[in-house]
Amino acid sequence: METIPVRHLNASVKEPPFSGSFDLVDMEAFLSGKDMVQELHRHSFFYILILEKGEGAHRIDFVTYPIEDYSVFFMRPGQVHELVLKNGSTGYLLKFSPGFYTPLAVSAKEVLRKVSRRNFYQFNAAQMNRITFILENIYKENKDQQERHREAIQSYLDIFFISLLRESDSAKSPGDNHDDYMQERLEAFQELISLSATQFKQVSYYAGKLNLTTYQLNAITKKTLHKTCSELIIDHLLLEAKRYLLATAHQINQIASQLGYEDVSYFVRFFKKQTGYSPEAFRKSFK
């Protein structure tokens, strides 16, 4: 995508200087008396902001999150964001390319997939202490660069992602817990949407792929996310539409076609119904 700047790990702008495909930065030292202000951009790498103390605002894929103490922001490559982080915030900024962390174990890949599906985590002081203890070890390995430090960091990342998953699970109330089967089906559905929503927009297609009835699939999404299957498909298409509108100079009819809408007028009505803006008005509002 052409308009929204894409930042790469070895060529960051207005951010800590990174070398190679991994780094971990102490945010208190980096801020050094100044606020961190980043305009809309995207990354080609994983971007994880872990804050023991924080103030500001973080907008990820057009959703705004207030920055508070004991918060974690987890961004996958390709997501767009804007960030205002106030001076005095403390914690770590972790960045790594997809090629740096490529676990062979299926279970480790599954953990990363699960934790990266959420952009925002909120913890308490005790939970954050357990998480930052792991990061302190990663920071030391990265700073000292002793023999096989890369392998050591990758092992600590395994533990970090598992801890993030555990702490987020323990923060849920009993009513928030869903059985493993429902969670697995939900994640499989979300994965299919990301791959196929521009071509297939009917719930029946996804239910068939998952060997479920549309009723069963809707029951899963309503129970876990309090949304229907159709709403999740619409959410994905809207997000992709917003990214195209802001990140490219493509005409509206081109964007409609890329999202699988042959009738551009139908796409315009769909977008306006969901957002309150025409595609062109939405694009102009960010200029």
Side-chain angles (χ1 to χ4, degrees):
M1 291 189 174
E2 301 152 6
T3 303
I4 297 179
V6 180
R7 299 184 182 178
H8 304 284
L9 199 52
N10 58 354
S12 297
V13 180
K14 297 182 182 178
E15 294 178 357
F18 292 93
S19 59
S21 56
F22 172 89
D23 212 341
L24 181 65
V25 170
D26 183 317
M27 289 307 299
E28 184 176 20
F30 170 67
L31 291 173
S32 188
K34 298 180 181 179
D35 294 344
M36 183 179 186
V37 180
Q38 297 183 339
E39 297 180 353
L40 191 69
H41 66 283
R42 65 176 66 233
H43 298 287
S44 63
F45 49 86
F46 287 93
Y47 180 108
I48 310 172
L49 182 61
I50 306 100
L51 296 171
E52 298 172 271
K53 179 182 177 183
E55 183 181 354
H58 199 175
R59 194 178 197 195
I60 304 174
D61 275 341
F62 314 104
V63 177
T64 301
Y65 304 92
I67 294 177
E68 300 176 350
D69 297 352
Y70 316 129
S71 56
V72 174
F73 298 91
F74 200 126
M75 291 180 54
R76 302 178 300 279
Q79 291 192 282
V80 298
H81 78 136
E82 298 172 272
L83 174 64
V84 176
L85 184 61
K86 297 294 185 180
N87 174 47
S89 299
T90 63
Y92 292 98
L93 178 57
L94 170 63
K95 300 187 179 186
F96 62 93
S97 65
F100 178 84
Y101 182 74
T102 53
L104 297 177
V106 173
S107 58
K109 292 179 181 178
E110 182 71 10
V111 170
L112 177 60
R113 188 168 68 87
K114 285 184 176 181
V115 296
S116 67
R117 279 203 175 276
R118 286 177 59 182
N119 292 134
F120 175 66
Y121 293 84
Q122 186 67 61
F123 298 117
N124 59 38
Q127 292 171 318
M128 184 57 72
N129 284 340
R130 290 191 286 270
I131 290 171
T132 54
F133 175 76
I134 301 165
L135 293 169
E136 288 166 1
N137 284 284
I138 296 176
Y139 187 83
K140 187 175 188 305
E141 286 289 343
N142 193 51
K143 181 181 178 182
D144 294 346
Q145 301 271 305
Q146 294 186 9
E147 183 180 356
R148 301 192 66 169
H149 68 280
R150 180 186 177 102
E151 289 91 337
I153 290 172
Q154 290 168 336
S155 296
Y156 277 123
L157 285 176
D158 284 338
I159 300 170
F160 171 66
F161 296 137
I162 291 171
S163 298
L164 194 59
L165 191 62
R166 285 179 176 175
E167 298 299 346
S168 63
D169 285 343
S170 68
K172 296 176 182 176
S173 65
D176 290 330
N177 293 324
H178 310 292
D179 64 59
D180 291 341
Y181 172 77
M182 292 182 71
Q183 190 64 36
E184 187 274 329
R185 292 290 81 188
L186 172 66
E187 292 176 0
F189 176 46
Q190 291 174 317
E191 188 71 22
L192 281 173
I193 291 175
S194 67
L195 294 173
S196 306
T198 58
Q199 186 176 3
F200 301 102
K201 298 174 175 60
Q202 299 79 23
V203 175
S204 58
Y205 168 81
Y206 299 97
K209 283 288 186 180
L210 297 170
N211 296 315
L212 297 169
T213 66
T214 56
Y215 176 83
Q216 290 171 322
L217 187 54
N218 267 303
I220 289 172
T221 60
K222 287 178 182 178
K223 176 93 181 219
T224 53
L225 296 179
H226 308 293
K227 288 190 173 186
T228 65
C229 298
S230 293
E231 287 174 327
L232 293 181
I233 295 169
I234 288 171
D235 286 348
H236 176 80
L237 290 168
L238 281 175
L239 177 57
E240 289 301 302
K242 290 176 181 178
R243 287 174 171 173
Y244 277 117
L245 286 166
L246 297 186
T248 76
H250 293 171
Q251 298 296 316
I252 304 303
N253 64 331
Q254 291 177 293
I255 295 173
S257 177
Q258 288 166 322
L259 294 175
Y261 293 96
E262 295 182 5
D263 184 345
V264 64
S265 61
Y266 178 84
F267 168 71
V268 171
R269 291 196 301 273
F270 161 77
F271 189 90
K272 188 170 185 178
K273 178 182 178 181
Q274 299 299 327
T275 67
Y277 294 90
S278 69
E280 197 61 48
F282 178 83
R283 173 179 271 169
K284 289 178 180 177
S285 71
F286 279 85
K287 290 184 179 180

